[in-house]
Amino acid sequence: MKERRTEYAGPVSQSNLICAASIDEAMAAARDMAAAAVCTGPEPRPCRLCRHCRKVAEDIHPDVITLGRLEDDKGRLKREIGVDQIRSLSADACVMPNEAQRKVYIIREAETMNIPAQNAALKLLEEPPLGAVFLLCTTNASRLLPTVRSRCTQINCGGVSAAGNREQDALAEAYLKTVASGDRAKLCSWCCRNEGMDGRSAADFVDCAMERLGDMLCGRKKNLGLSVRQLEELYELLERCSAYLRLNVGVKHIFGLLAVDSIAGGGNRG
């Protein structure tokens, strides 16, 4: 996966993953890149003065489209971006732009795309229609499938690292090594020792473990002797844990789930 940092000026890749500490910061970077993509002013772009740049700044450009979680019938945001939204985006991306030379699609909170939605986005990101640009905004790239991340140019705003803090990253490494050992008793002991952490720390640990698994699947880290199937099943298990933590499920329940399902879920049998 390619990486670069903002401030952004110049040509824009067709498929981009923008990571920032806050979604507002990621969206601001995305709007800047969208302006650069449709700008008709002089270099460096965006010029911020041409008609297209001004329309992007006012959020009225017909060729810069933002997609995010929809509201339910009670006006509350849904938990996920669904596959039908991505399919509609894919169909719209094949339609010619209204005013600019390009159409730009900004996906807010891209990590909330459910698995079918992410899978539907894969071909779109790998082979974007001519003239279409995709900007996926997230505060946590590890919640996206490795296959999605590998198809994007990654832009980290303000030095944000998808790996999380060092302490939780070390815990994630220890967890994965314990799982790879296949020793169920050792895994249960490890989970019992760490189940007292607070919810935020647990979420960071899960994110770090998912990031490491993604790197293993993409060949950037050693797989610890785990097969591709085992890595994928562990990723799915941690993805469930991440979703449960967002629903305020207790940390002890999460570590209980890891103790029971990590080795079996990874395809190992004690």
Side-chain angles (χ1 to χ4, degrees), residues 11-31:
V12 181
S13 300
Q14 283 191 271
S15 300
N16 303 271
L17 177 59
I18 303 171
C19 308
S22 72
I23 195 60
D24 288 340
E25 186 179 1
M27 290 294 290
R31 284 190 290 270

Side-chain angles (χ1 to χ4, degrees), residues 196-252:
M197 69 175 68
D198 59 73
R200 179 65 266 174
S201 296
D204 288 343
F205 153 71
V206 170
D207 292 342
C208 289
M210 290 174 68
E211 176 72 13
R212 281 184 167 271
L213 285 168
D215 286 339
M216 291 177 190
L217 283 164
C218 294
R220 290 190 292 269
K221 289 186 183 295
K222 293 181 180 179
N223 62 13
L224 303 177
L226 297 166
S227 69
V228 171
R229 180 179 176 182
Q230 289 172 320
L231 293 173
E232 289 175 341
E233 290 178 342
L234 274 174
Y235 193 96
E236 290 174 2
L237 171 62
L238 288 165
E239 198 166 48
R240 291 197 343 251
C241 290
S242 179
Y244 292 154
L245 285 167
R246 291 198 297 272
L247 293 172
N248 294 320
V249 172
V251 173
K252 285 189 177 182

Side-chain angles (χ1 to χ4, degrees), residues 118-196:
Q118 291 191 50
N119 285 330
L122 289 179
K123 186 171 180 61
L124 197 63
L125 296 171
E126 186 170 21
E127 300 177 7
L130 185 64
V133 174
F134 302 100
L135 306 174
L136 281 63
C137 297
T138 183
T139 57
N140 194 334
S142 66
R143 291 182 180 175
L144 289 161
L145 294 175
T147 45
V148 169
R149 288 185 280 127
S150 67
R151 285 161 170 77
C152 297
T153 296
Q154 183 165 319
I155 300 157
N156 290 338
C157 301
V160 169
S161 169
N165 64 59
R166 291 182 181 180
E167 181 180 355
Q168 302 308 320
D169 195 42
L171 277 174
E173 182 179 13
Y175 162 72
L176 292 174
K177 285 182 177 179
T178 303
V179 172
S181 74
D183 188 329
R184 190 181 301 279
K186 186 177 178 181
L187 174 64
C188 288
S189 177
W190 186 91
C191 288
C192 286
R193 288 197 307 271
N194 290 283
E195 65 181 11

Side-chain angles (χ1 to χ4, degrees), residues 71-89:
E71 293 183 351
D72 61 20
D73 54 5
K74 295 182 179 178
R76 297 174 301 195
L77 286 176
K78 295 182 178 179
R79 284 183 51 224
E80 299 176 329
I81 293 173
V83 65
D84 289 341
Q85 290 176 265
I86 300 302
R87 287 172 177 161
S88 295
L89 183 154

